[in-house]
Amino acid sequence: MYSITLHERFKMKNLNEKHLNAMLAVGMLLMFSGILAMVGFMGSNEQVLLSVLSAMISLAGFVFLYIFLGFSRTSFKLFMGLLFSMNGIFLFVSAREILPLPLRKLWPLMILFTSLSLFFAGRIKKNKFNLSYDYTAIFLFTIGVFLLLFSLGIIKMPLGEIMVFLLPVIFILAGIFLVVLFLQRSALL
């Protein structure tokens, strides 16, 4: 009967991890190469510039995701990877004019993508409510939806007029948020 020594098992594990990391790197490189190939088929200079910018942002996101998936599983790396990847892909789709509305109308979606990135990054260590990530994600999501309603023209009143009434409410809610966050953190200590 053949038995594997501990040293051989360790070598096999390292070899398997190297292969998996290489597969991950090649997969992400292929995705980025596909995005760059699509950039080559652009029309105007503005489209090319926005496409190259979005490709660079996406590449930064893919690098963070590669580091997160292959080496170091931290909330920060997942957040940055998702943030750059989602916003870069969104900018690319906007530059290619695939969406029916222009970027100047849909820019609040980038705030929504940021809130989603924060929400998923908060799920790394525990799969339950994480105060500092979730409150911030909910706050950003609310702001993103609010600005998207104005940007799409669903709310007809000018933003400045509404802010005169909402600014005091926003200050009060932000103060309550900080007090609750402080109480939760001090309760953990």
Side-chain angles (χ1 to χ4, degrees):
M1 182 171 259
Y2 180 73
S3 68
I4 299 175
T5 66
L6 186 61
H7 178 68
E8 290 171 333
R9 192 175 291 175
F10 180 73
K11 282 174 49 177
M12 286 175 55
K13 181 181 178 196
N14 282 343
L15 185 63
N16 287 338
E17 286 178 6
K18 287 179 185 176
H19 286 299
L20 288 175
N21 287 338
M23 283 188 341
L24 180 62
V26 169
M28 294 187 129
L29 186 62
L30 286 173
M31 287 189 297
F32 182 68
S33 298
I35 290 173
L36 283 180
M38 292 174 78
V39 168
F41 300 110
M42 288 297 186
S44 71
N45 287 338
E46 183 180 311
Q47 283 181 326
V48 171
L49 181 63
L50 188 57
S51 296
V52 169
L53 175 65
S54 67
M56 290 170 53
I57 292 170
S58 295
L59 176 63
F62 293 148
V63 167
F64 273 108
L65 287 175
Y66 171 72
I67 292 169
F68 170 77
L69 293 171
F71 304 105
S72 173
R73 292 187 175 262
T74 64
S75 297
F76 174 75
K77 289 178 184 85
L78 179 61
F79 168 70
M80 295 303 287
L82 291 174
L83 173 73
F84 287 145
S85 297
M86 286 194 290
N87 282 320
I89 290 169
F90 169 69
L91 285 173
F92 181 78
V93 169
S94 293
R96 296 284 296 163
E97 296 177 352
I98 296 172
L99 299 173
L101 296 171
L103 179 61
R104 64 180 169 77
K105 291 238 181 226
L106 296 176
W107 67 268
L109 286 176
M110 295 175 74
I111 298 172
L112 296 177
F113 294 145
T114 303
S115 71
L116 289 175
S117 300
L118 257 176
F119 179 78
F120 288 123
R123 298 293 168 280
I124 290 300
K125 296 195 178 179
K126 26 187 167 173
N127 207 9
K128 58 182 183 176
F129 188 75
N130 189 339
L131 189 69
S132 57
Y133 286 96
D134 290 343
Y135 280 160
T136 309
I138 291 168
F139 180 71
L140 286 174
F141 189 83
T142 304
I143 288 175
V145 168
F146 182 71
L147 292 174
L148 190 60
L149 292 173
F150 279 99
S151 184
L152 294 176
I154 295 171
I155 297 177
K156 303 288 185 204
M157 184 182 280
L159 181 61
E161 288 180 25
I162 290 181
M163 288 308 292
V164 168
F165 298 110
L166 282 182
L167 201 56
V169 173
I170 291 171
F171 283 154
I172 291 169
L173 290 176
I176 290 171
F177 166 73
L178 290 174
V179 169
V180 167
L181 188 63
F182 169 78
L183 294 174
Q184 288 289 331
R185 292 289 177 162
S186 63
L188 294 174
L189 297 177

